[in-house]
Amino acid sequence: GRSDSFATEFDLEAEEYVPLPKGDVHKQKTVIQDVTLHDLDVANAHPSSGAGGANQRDVLGLLRSMGKPKKTEITDKLRGEINKVVQQYIDQGIAELVPGVLFVDEVHMLDLECFTYLNRSLESPIAPIVVFATNRGITTVRGTEPNGIKAPHGIPIDVLDRMLIIPTLPYTVQEMISICQIRAKTEGLELSEDALRMLGAVGKKSSLRYAIQLMTPAKLVAETQGRDQILPEDISQVDDLFLDGKASAQMLLSSEGASFMK
């Protein structure tokens, strides 16, 4: 409606006239702070001088203590108390949980104790999204010696049952050439079309990683010849100087490998 104090001053019609508001204007401000669970663990590991346990301290008290340089061990009991407080805040609508993403590459390098800890942590409702990456098939789980328990991808079955496995396919030669072109552009290298095709062939024979690693020494060989562009003969020369993982393993298994290691 219109204010009744100015009803006669303006040529405006309204169905309802209301009194002009008086008094102070009250404003409400909402502050959103992004805090990780690790920040809360560290902040609560060296609490302030105020009395009270973890359940009695609010988030602001934890944030104020985050700046202290003193380090204290973060125990499982402390993490459990922090998780309870966070869950209470989520249930009350005070906080909102934004799941993070934990990416673990070469996951077959983890041992049985690490998998046990991860398996228990994944049961928590506030656990992040975990992505594992590996290129192993049936292999031994580390930490199970001397029996040597074998499992797909080197991951215990209990952990593997909790996962969605995304199948991947090997790169084609054309895809390898495209990746080498992107890498060459990033590193400022100039390769001829024939050199790129040779890198694709090398990648198919061995691996894409090995083909990319040949680009830098091939550049050095080209510079010694007074050229800025990498040619196929440069790739061939450095390929003869080095061995990829497959070729090295085959040589060690052969009769020449015994004399090579002496």
Side-chain angles (χ1 to χ4, degrees):
R2 288 184 56 193
S3 172
D4 55 3
S5 301
F6 302 94
T8 60
E9 296 186 14
F10 301 98
D11 188 15
L12 294 175
E13 295 295 335
E15 296 180 357
E16 182 180 358
Y17 290 89
V18 295
L20 182 67
K22 298 180 181 179
D24 298 333
V25 177
H26 296 278
K27 296 182 180 180
Q28 184 178 3
K29 181 184 294 185
T30 301
V31 179
I32 300 177
Q33 177 71 41
D34 294 331
V35 182
T36 64
L37 293 176
H38 177 70
D39 293 337
L40 297 178
D41 290 340
V42 173
N44 210 38
H46 37 73
S48 58
S49 58
N55 293 335
Q56 298 177 356
R57 286 191 299 270
D58 56 5
V59 175
L60 294 178
L62 295 176
L63 294 176
R64 284 194 295 268
S65 60
M66 285 172 57
K68 294 189 176 182
K70 183 179 178 181
K71 294 183 179 180
T72 308
E73 181 182 1
I74 302 174
T75 62
D76 291 338
K77 180 180 179 181
L78 176 61
R79 285 194 176 97
E81 293 177 353
I82 293 298
N83 292 347
K84 291 180 181 179
V85 175
V86 172
Q87 190 62 48
Q88 290 178 3
Y89 287 154
I90 294 174
D91 295 339
Q92 297 171 6
I94 300 175
E96 179 185 359
L97 178 64
V98 180
V101 178
L102 173 63
F103 181 81
V104 183
D105 196 10
E106 306 291 349
V107 69
H108 56 270
M109 299 298 293
L110 300 181
D111 60 6
L112 188 60
E113 293 183 359
C114 291
F115 283 119
T116 302
Y117 177 79
L118 287 172
N119 190 38
R120 184 181 63 179
S121 301
L122 291 176
E123 296 177 352
S124 173
I126 58 177
I129 300 172
V130 182
V131 180
F132 290 151
T134 180
N135 57 358
R136 294 295 190 272
I138 303 296
T139 185
T140 303
V141 180
R142 294 172 63 92
T144 60
E145 294 80 3
N147 296 329
I149 300 176
K150 292 184 178 294
H153 316 296
I155 303 174
I157 300 298
D158 293 342
V159 182
L160 200 64
D161 288 340
R162 299 177 180 272
M163 300 181 184
L164 294 175
I165 301 177
I166 303 174
T168 57
L169 299 175
Y171 289 113
T172 64
V173 175
Q174 187 58 43
E175 289 174 341
M176 291 184 182
I177 293 175
S178 300
I179 294 173
C180 290
Q181 285 179 326
I182 297 173
R183 186 61 178 266
K185 182 178 180 180
T186 302
E187 297 187 2
L189 303 178
E190 183 180 354
L191 286 86
S192 65
E193 293 295 331
D194 293 338
L196 286 172
R197 283 192 290 269
M198 177 169 285
L199 282 177
V202 171
K204 183 179 181 180
K205 179 185 67 174
S206 54
S207 66
L208 175 61
R209 181 176 299 175
Y210 175 71
I212 291 177
Q213 290 174 341
L214 292 181
M215 295 171 63
T216 299
K219 172 65 174 176
L220 298 177
V221 172
E223 289 178 349
T224 58
Q225 301 295 328
R227 291 182 279 102
D228 293 331
Q229 188 181 50
I230 300 175
L231 299 180
E233 51 264 30
D234 302 325
I235 303 295
S236 178
Q237 183 175 347
V238 295
D239 188 24
D240 294 337
L241 292 175
F242 302 103
L243 294 175
D244 62 280
K246 296 179 182 178
S248 178
Q250 291 176 357
M251 187 184 69
L252 292 177
L253 293 174
S254 64
S255 58
E256 299 178 359
S259 60
F260 176 77
M261 294 300 295
K262 290 182 179 179

